[in-house]
Amino acid sequence: MSTYNVVIIGSGPGGYVAAIRCAQLGLKTAIIEKYDTLGGTCLNVGCIPSKALLDSSEHFHKAEKEFGEHGIQTGKLTVDLNQMIKRKDDVVDQTCKGVAFLMKKNKIDVYYGIGSFKDKETISIHGKEGKKEEIKAEKVIIATGSKPVIIPGIEYDKKRVITSTEALKLKEIPNHLIIIGGGVIGLELGSVYARLGSKITVVEFADRLISGMDSTLSKELQKVLKKLGFDFHFKTKVNSAKTKGNKVILTASNSKGENISLEGDYCLIAVGRKAYTEGLGLENVGIETDDRGKINIDENLQTKVPGIYAIGDVVKGAMLAHKAEEEGIFVAETIAGQKPHINYNLIPGVVYTWPEVASVGYTEEQLKEKSVNYKVGSFPIRALGRARASMDIDGLIKVLADKKTDEILGVHMIGPRVADLIAEAVVAMEYRASAEDVARMSHAHPTYTEAMKEACLAATENRALHL
Amino acid sequence: MHFEVKIPPVGESITEVTISSWKKNNGDFVEQDEIICEVDSDKTSFEIPAEKAGKLNILKQEDETVEVGTIVCTIDTESTNNTPSSQSENKNEDHEESDSPDEVHKTGEIIEIVVPEVGESITEVTIAEWTKENGSFVEKDEIICEIDSDKATFELPSDATGILQIIAQSGDTVKVGDVVCKIEVGSSTSKPKESQSSSSKTAPETKRSNESYVKGHPSPAANKILNEKGISPSEVKGSGVDGRITKEDALKASKSQKEEKKGVSEETGDNNRSSRREKITNLRKTISKRLVSVKNETAMLTTFNEVNMKPIMDVRKKYKDQFKEKYEVGLGFMSFFTKACCIALKEWPAVNAYLDENEIEYHDYCDISIAVSTPKGLVVPVIRNAEKLSFQGIESEIIRLAGKARDGKLTIPEMTGGTFTITNGGVFGSMMSTPIINPPQSAILGMHNIVQRPFAENGEVVIRPIMFVALSYDHRIIDGRESVSFLVRVKQLLEDPMRLLLNV
């Protein structure tokens, strides 16, 4: 039986990054993956494939709606959905192979199969065709991730009532896609099909989109998506959804207590994800999960069983690939005797609609709740020369700073490429920069990043230059 | 109102105490009867409670030794607990902060403060600590800075009232006459005390301009390094912008004494294996620096001899009571040794000389430095013109200087300018040692204990009280012939004290 210093169960961005870091630290490491490809949800059915389709569909959308204005005549445009999906599959395939290469390069043993605890040091792996083996581990990192949540009353048939997994490989462009949930996943996939011509209806229980983020972003995003042909039902609770022939019928009740009925040809369930620990054999080591299926951990991300750690979607906190990666590194270094730190407040959130949405730190709502005296500096994207040149004029950047010290407390962006721009805010906030600090740093012209500088100037003394 | 908190009388014989720790930070709001400070005396530790509620203004820092009755802090009783929030409501003030305290009326005059002449041979000093912060308001004659010289620590008072602008930083070595700071002369519109209490707004804002909220914030990498070293960011001085702790700061940081002490005692359980760390005194720092430099920069070696002490002991035995009665001072060995050395130094002037780069400075007088052990470390007061002094003169001078040394009251001139040193390790029982030269001197005589030893005298073994003597000397300017002859001459004079009288 092979013995390892560390065995990681799950090869998503949390698990495989933890494995690489363990190997870098000289630990003999193995990783176990249930599916045939490495990379977990993110690479296979999450971040990467959705971005591939988002980019493809955005090209189509731009060609259809904006090329004329640019002076490019295209004639009639058609979508080859099969090719689009195939290209997405190729991207996924390359990325997954990249992870496999990284495992090999770092001399990490990869086991394919369902890993489960036999006892605290023994992991049994149930492979395909009844293949079974056992390995020994001094330390175990649980990184089994999450699965889409299905709410009661909804008949998830994977054909017309679907989750994000199926939405990434549809055979046709829906005429009318009903999306349950106005969060990140629903809006990204909704954007893909809206750009390709689908009518989109979003049914959301809360009173706004992306409800965890700053409400300014919700409002802006709603405006933009409306232009794209989105319809919204807020404060509406879905009661049922089921397939009837080529249609999906959805019933719901709105805030006035009225029952409404929606008819579409596809229904995407995007109400969130839940921790996934099925078949892990947690009961054999005495680890319990909370009411949301998450594994409880201490400040070192260790479960109540010494030597068994858990990271990523399977534990508390935002379900984000980059959060899982940080936790993977954290645990690897902790096992190696180091003392790393994660600043959870500075893990950015991003939404890949177009314009993109990105956010880090406190929202205005949170600051109000904490009774922090803050000031706001906001700058519209349309005031940037760069934005007018590219015809991406929607959005804004909003900087929240401490009224007394001018320290940046939150940055909220909606606009072109802001998913990339948010990194500047994270760096500034890790160093606890003041708004004026950033305002005094040279930002190349003409770029989208100038909006960050201008918003910081606005926050400093309300002295934005180009407004 | 400002309420002054003093060190209370704590016991009959206790005149001074050391502040061991402040339980509250400067500027904190304290409640009445809340413990604000812990104080150590010779006998015991005790706590000082706040006698009023208000804002704490610390005047004496931790580890400072203060006399009973000293004001250690004041409490601003008109300051209220919610000062910060009431201030932040004041919206229009947000952008109007200036960097200097606005309660000061400047006259425009700027006075430069230089390192004063502190002693003959002292050309440079080290800034030990600024007791006032840069940009703070200082009164004339208020102590603003502590300065270390080779010999002692002294305090630098402000020459004027105004705003302090520090030029030389703590730890900088500066030459006598160098400008260390400037005072932007000005007076406060009202007494500083009143200005603080009447506008609760000024105090926090002034503080802000000096100290950023971000001071002591570690970068992500620095944070990890500090965690691993077990060091709290508050113990590290940040060198980054506004006092941020950079990765380099974290790499250089070392664990504080208190923390380490705790760690050790926790691990060992019942066995008392605790170790103790104390901050090195400036005197000790100077001593260590100088001793190492002597070892490195001179060609030092030692010659030995032995002295039959019987003749001196006989003289002492015979006259010590009369001597004591007449001069009210004991007749010790030091006066014999000092006298003997003075005579020998006259004969071997190189032993009494300084080497100063390309020149040798010979002295026609003998200023004998006497090494005196004090609780804080070794000091070497000087007996001036010892060659002219009588036995009684030498003994009295030694008593006077040793007393002052033990009380820490020696002045720099009293420790400066010796031409030769005598050290007596014998009082602690040393049989033999190789003393280290006290620069810029070139030689040092080491005395040791007196032991009854078998001794050959006129072809017969007799028991005599014997002392080994050692002369360490700088071979660069003193040749073997001179050093050995000097020591032999000292031996000769001591073994036949009549020679001291006749100078033969």
Side-chain angles (χ1 to χ4, degrees):
Chain A
M1 199 190 312
S2 301
T3 302
Y4 295 92
N5 297 127
V6 183
V7 169
I8 296 147
I9 306 175
S11 72
Y16 87 73
V17 166
I20 294 174
R21 188 72 186 114
C22 284
Q24 284 178 342
L25 291 163
L27 299 165
K28 194 182 175 205
T29 308
I31 192 162
I32 302 169
E33 174 53 52
K34 173 169 99 164
Y35 293 105
D36 296 339
T37 53
L38 301 178
T41 300
C42 169
L43 270 66
N44 290 281
V45 289
C47 327
I48 299 299
S50 61
K51 258 80 277 170
L53 291 183
L54 279 159
D55 282 334
S56 297
S57 61
E58 180 63 14
H59 284 312
F60 176 78
H61 178 76
K62 277 205 182 320
E64 196 180 37
K65 306 284 183 199
E66 294 177 10
F67 275 20
E69 171 90 24
H70 279 289
I72 304 167
Q73 298 305 329
T74 56
K76 188 172 161 36
L77 286 166
T78 51
V79 176
D80 182 348
L81 187 63
N82 284 337
Q83 169 57 25
M84 220 177 250
I85 303 275
K86 183 186 167 294
R87 189 195 79 93
K88 175 222 61 173
D89 289 340
D90 291 345
V91 170
V92 168
D93 187 49
Q94 285 162 21
T95 314
C96 292
K97 279 181 179 152
V99 175
F101 163 77
L102 290 173
M103 296 301 103
K104 204 171 153 191
K105 182 189 160 202
N106 286 287
K107 301 189 171 57
I108 297 158
D109 289 348
V110 180
Y111 293 87
Y112 291 95
I114 296 173
S116 66
F117 287 101
K118 192 178 170 194
D119 56 55
K120 131 182 214 321
E121 281 138 14
T122 316
I123 311 292
S124 58
I125 303 157
H126 300 258
K128 276 186 177 166
E129 292 128 23
K131 197 179 155 217
K132 197 175 165 184
E133 58 186 316
E134 283 184 357
I135 53 175
K136 285 269 181 201
E138 289 165 19
K139 313 271 180 188
V140 180
I141 304 174
I142 302 169
T144 45
S146 61
K147 286 198 111 171
V149 172
I150 312 294
I151 46 177
I154 291 163
E155 290 177 18
Y156 171 46
D157 61 10
K158 299 196 183 186
K159 292 201 170 60
R160 293 197 175 270
V161 179
I162 57 176
T163 66
S164 56
T165 307
E166 292 77 40
L168 292 167
K169 51 187 182 192
L170 288 184
K171 295 272 189 281
E172 57 178 359
I173 299 165
N175 292 313
H176 181 199
L177 173 63
I178 302 166
I179 300 174
I180 308 174
V184 178
I185 296 169
L187 298 181
E188 288 187 2
L189 289 169
S191 293
V192 168
Y193 291 104
R195 292 165 191 170
L196 300 179
S198 301
K199 173 177 160 48
I200 308 289
T201 303
V202 174
V203 184
E204 167 61 53
F205 184 70
D207 60 351
R208 59 181 174 104
L209 298 176
I210 46 172
S211 55
M213 292 175 118
D214 193 281
S215 62
T216 305
L217 301 182
S218 304
K219 254 180 261 162
E220 282 294 312
L221 185 60
Q222 189 181 335
K223 254 194 274 176
V224 172
L225 293 178
K226 204 153 199 169
K227 274 197 264 175
L228 198 58
F230 274 61
D231 234 358
F232 300 101
H233 295 267
F234 291 108
K235 297 188 195 168
T236 302
K237 183 177 177 292
V238 174
N239 298 320
S240 73
K242 69 174 171 189
T243 306
K244 252 189 187 170
N246 287 341
K247 297 282 167 206
V248 175
I249 312 289
L250 180 139
T251 61
S253 32
N254 65 17
S255 56
K256 294 170 201 149
E258 301 160 351
N259 285 326
I260 56 166
S261 173
L262 294 167
E263 190 182 294
D265 49 355
Y266 286 90
C267 173
L268 170 63
I269 311 162
V271 291
R273 301 177 64 87
K274 66 167 191 219
Y276 184 76
T277 55
E278 223 167 277
L280 195 49
L282 289 180
E283 63 283 359
N284 296 332
V285 284
I287 295 175
E288 287 146 18
T289 54
D290 67 12
D291 50 354
R292 280 148 59 232
K294 296 203 169 200
I295 295 173
N296 289 321
I297 41 164
D298 65 13
E299 69 280 6
N300 288 322
L301 309 188
Q302 188 166 243
T303 64
K304 69 184 224 187
V305 180
I308 301 178
Y309 298 80
I311 60 170
D313 289 3
V314 85
V315 300
K316 65 188 174 190
M319 290 187 173
L320 295 167
H322 46 278
K323 176 256 194 185
E325 288 183 38
E326 293 308 325
E327 291 183 331
I329 287 168
F330 179 98
V331 169
E333 291 180 346
T334 302
I335 288 171
Q338 301 184 355
K339 290 190 176 163
H341 174 78
I342 297 174
N343 190 344
Y344 281 97
N345 186 40
L346 296 188
I347 291 175
V350 288
V351 188
Y352 288 89
T353 47
W354 193 266
E356 294 173 342
V357 179
S359 173
V360 68
Y362 294 110
T363 63
E364 274 202 76
E365 292 78 17
Q366 287 170 325
L367 292 177
K368 276 176 191 154
E369 199 178 308
K370 287 161 64 85
S371 318
V372 175
N373 283 313
Y374 66 95
K375 46 190 186 164
V376 184
S378 190
F379 191 81
I381 298 292
R382 68 174 59 244
L384 294 174
R386 183 74 192 85
R388 283 194 299 274
S390 71
M391 283 176 68
D392 292 302
I393 53 172
D394 290 323
L396 58 88
I397 292 183
K398 182 168 92 169
V399 171
L400 308 174
D402 189 290
K403 193 162 202 169
K404 206 168 134 210
T405 64
D406 198 32
E407 178 181 4
I408 299 175
L409 302 174
V411 178
H412 307 285
M413 306 175 159
I414 175 166
R417 295 274 169 248
V418 296
D420 297 303
L421 302 195
I422 198 69
E424 178 184 5
V426 177
V427 172
M429 290 175 72
E430 278 283 5
Y431 287 90
R432 298 187 64 183
S434 66
E436 188 176 356
D437 287 333
V438 174
R440 291 197 176 280
M441 293 176 194
S442 175
H443 287 64
H445 174 76
T447 57
Y448 300 122
T449 66
E450 287 174 283
M452 177 65 181
K453 177 182 171 130
E454 293 274 8
C456 284
L457 276 168
T460 306
E461 280 174 346
N462 195 18
R463 55 182 169 95
L465 295 166
H466 296 89
L467 205 60
Chain B
M1 221 199 97
H2 273 256
F3 189 86
E4 293 171 343
V5 179
K6 295 177 184 170
I7 300 283
V10 282
E12 213 174 296
S13 63
I14 296 174
T15 57
E16 60 176 30
V17 298
T18 304
I19 296 176
S20 58
S21 69
W22 283 100
K23 299 287 164 202
K24 292 280 167 181
N25 292 324
N26 197 14
D28 277 1
F29 182 84
V30 295
E31 298 290 347
Q32 186 170 351
D33 293 334
E34 205 175 356
I35 301 301
I36 50 175
C37 180
E38 234 180 57
V39 172
D40 285 342
S41 74
D42 290 353
K43 306 253 156 64
T44 175
S45 299
F46 57 97
E47 292 170 332
I48 297 183
E51 289 168 59
K52 301 272 183 205
K55 194 163 79 73
L56 179 66
N57 178 24
I58 292 177
L59 301 176
K60 299 288 174 188
Q61 300 306 317
E62 289 182 8
D63 296 334
E64 257 188 77
T65 300
V66 293
E67 285 181 6
V68 168
T70 307
I71 300 165
V72 291
C73 64
T74 61
I75 293 175
D76 179 359
T77 52
E78 276 168 39
S79 176
T80 53
N81 205 357
N82 50 17
T83 307
S85 60
S86 67
Q87 181 207 343
S88 54
E89 283 164 18
N90 203 345
K91 286 175 192 163
N92 298 334
E93 303 279 339
D94 270 1
H95 311 305
E96 290 174 5
E97 284 145 22
S98 66
D99 278 72
S100 57
D102 42 10
E103 75 269 30
V104 176
H105 275 226
K106 296 171 189 167
T107 64
E109 192 188 351
I110 291 178
I111 291 206
E112 292 184 340
I113 298 185
V114 300
V115 179
E117 297 270 351
V118 283
E120 207 178 308
S121 65
I122 296 175
T123 57
E124 58 178 33
V125 298
T126 304
I127 309 287
E129 193 186 352
W130 285 97
T131 49
K132 289 282 171 180
E133 273 185 32
N134 194 18
S136 62
F137 183 83
V138 296
E139 298 278 358
K140 187 171 192 293
D141 295 332
E142 200 174 358
I143 300 304
I144 52 175
C145 180
E146 271 181 23
I147 292 181
D148 277 347
S149 75
D150 287 355
K151 300 265 157 51
T153 302
F154 59 95
E155 291 170 331
L156 189 67
S158 173
D159 291 345
T161 298
I163 295 168
L164 175 66
Q165 294 174 349
I166 291 175
I167 293 170
Q169 299 304 318
S170 298
D172 284 1
T173 300
V174 289
K175 293 212 158 51
V176 168
D178 280 0
V179 177
V180 291
C181 66
K182 291 177 181 174
I183 304 287
E184 202 173 331
V185 179
S187 59
S188 46
T189 47
S190 47
K191 294 272 182 207
K193 281 178 183 179
E194 283 170 29
S195 75
Q196 266 178 25
S197 55
S198 63
S199 76
S200 55
K201 178 178 143 284
T202 27
E205 280 186 6
T206 317
K207 200 183 160 206
R208 225 189 92 193
S209 57
N210 292 334
E211 204 162 284
S212 163
Y213 69 92
V214 87
K215 189 180 170 196
H217 175 71
S219 79
N223 192 16
K224 176 169 179 281
I225 294 163
L226 292 179
N227 278 341
E228 284 164 12
K229 288 186 172 180
I231 300 171
S232 150
S234 63
E235 295 168 42
V236 181
K237 194 173 185 300
S239 70
V241 175
D242 292 333
R244 284 176 173 82
I245 297 171
T246 63
K247 182 178 177 185
E248 191 187 13
D249 294 335
L251 287 170
K252 284 182 181 165
S254 56
K255 212 166 177 173
S256 89
Q257 301 82 14
K258 276 181 194 166
E259 289 291 320
E260 207 163 63
K261 186 174 146 196
K262 209 165 93 190
V264 171
S265 52
E266 269 170 13
E267 279 165 25
T268 52
D270 291 344
N271 288 334
N272 185 2
R273 283 171 36 74
S274 64
S275 60
R276 190 166 53 93
R277 277 171 173 249
E278 281 172 10
K279 208 170 148 192
I280 195 166
T281 62
N282 291 327
L283 179 63
R284 177 57 60 193
K285 260 188 228 163
T286 307
I287 290 171
S288 68
K289 209 166 70 189
R290 281 162 52 94
L291 291 181
V292 170
S293 82
V294 172
K295 278 274 194 186
N296 290 336
E297 289 161 19
T298 66
M300 185 165 61
L301 76 162
T302 308
T303 177
F304 302 101
N305 220 312
E306 60 179 2
V307 178
N308 173 10
M309 297 294 285
K310 187 166 188 298
I312 289 181
M313 290 173 98
D314 289 345
V315 172
R316 267 188 87 212
K317 209 172 175 181
K318 196 165 170 187
Y319 299 110
K320 80 173 177 199
D321 291 340
Q322 278 166 272
F323 190 89
K324 175 105 194 188
E325 207 169 295
K326 182 161 182 191
Y327 300 117
E328 290 178 334
V329 60
L331 177 60
F333 293 118
M334 280 307 291
S335 46
F336 289 93
F337 276 82
T338 306
K339 273 288 176 198
C341 285
C342 289
I343 291 168
L345 287 171
K346 289 272 182 196
E347 292 167 17
W348 304 104
V351 184
N352 199 33
Y354 294 166
L355 176 60
D356 184 8
E357 288 185 23
N358 299 321
E359 289 179 336
I360 297 176
E361 182 181 353
Y362 293 101
H363 302 100
D364 295 335
Y365 53 88
C366 299
D367 279 1
I368 306 295
S369 304
I370 304 290
V372 178
S373 177
T374 74
K376 282 191 170 178
L378 193 71
V379 292
V380 276
V382 180
I383 304 172
R384 303 279 170 206
N385 287 97
E387 82 281 5
K388 286 187 182 152
L389 293 179
S390 63
F391 279 69
Q392 175 265 329
I394 293 169
E395 291 293 349
S396 309
E397 189 65 358
I398 290 172
I399 297 277
R400 185 181 72 83
L401 293 170
K404 276 183 106 173
R406 282 184 194 112
D407 296 342
K409 289 189 176 147
L410 282 174
T411 63
I412 287 175
E414 282 173 329
M415 292 187 278
T416 316
T419 59
F420 180 80
T421 298
I422 299 174
T423 179
N424 186 359
V427 295
F428 307 112
S430 172
M431 182 190 85
M432 186 74 96
S433 67
T434 59
I436 293 182
I437 300 165
N438 176 18
Q441 298 169 17
S442 302
I444 179 168
L445 180 81
M447 294 163 61
H448 299 95
N449 61 1
I450 301 165
V451 176
Q452 299 285 330
R453 292 182 198 281
F455 188 74
E457 206 175 69
N458 304 325
E460 271 180 35
V461 176
V462 290
I463 302 297
R464 291 285 179 255
I466 302 296
M467 179 195 282
F468 295 132
V469 287
L471 182 80
S472 291
Y473 60 101
D474 188 348
H475 210 343
R476 292 178 304 165
I477 64 164
I478 303 173
D479 293 334
R481 185 179 73 95
E482 292 167 303
S483 61
V484 173
S485 301
F486 171 88
L487 195 57
V488 168
R489 178 65 170 143
V490 169
K491 169 188 163 78
Q492 194 184 39
L493 290 163
L494 292 171
E495 288 185 342
D496 187 358
M498 199 58 82
R499 286 171 178 273
L500 291 173
L501 180 65
L502 302 173
N503 203 355
V504 291

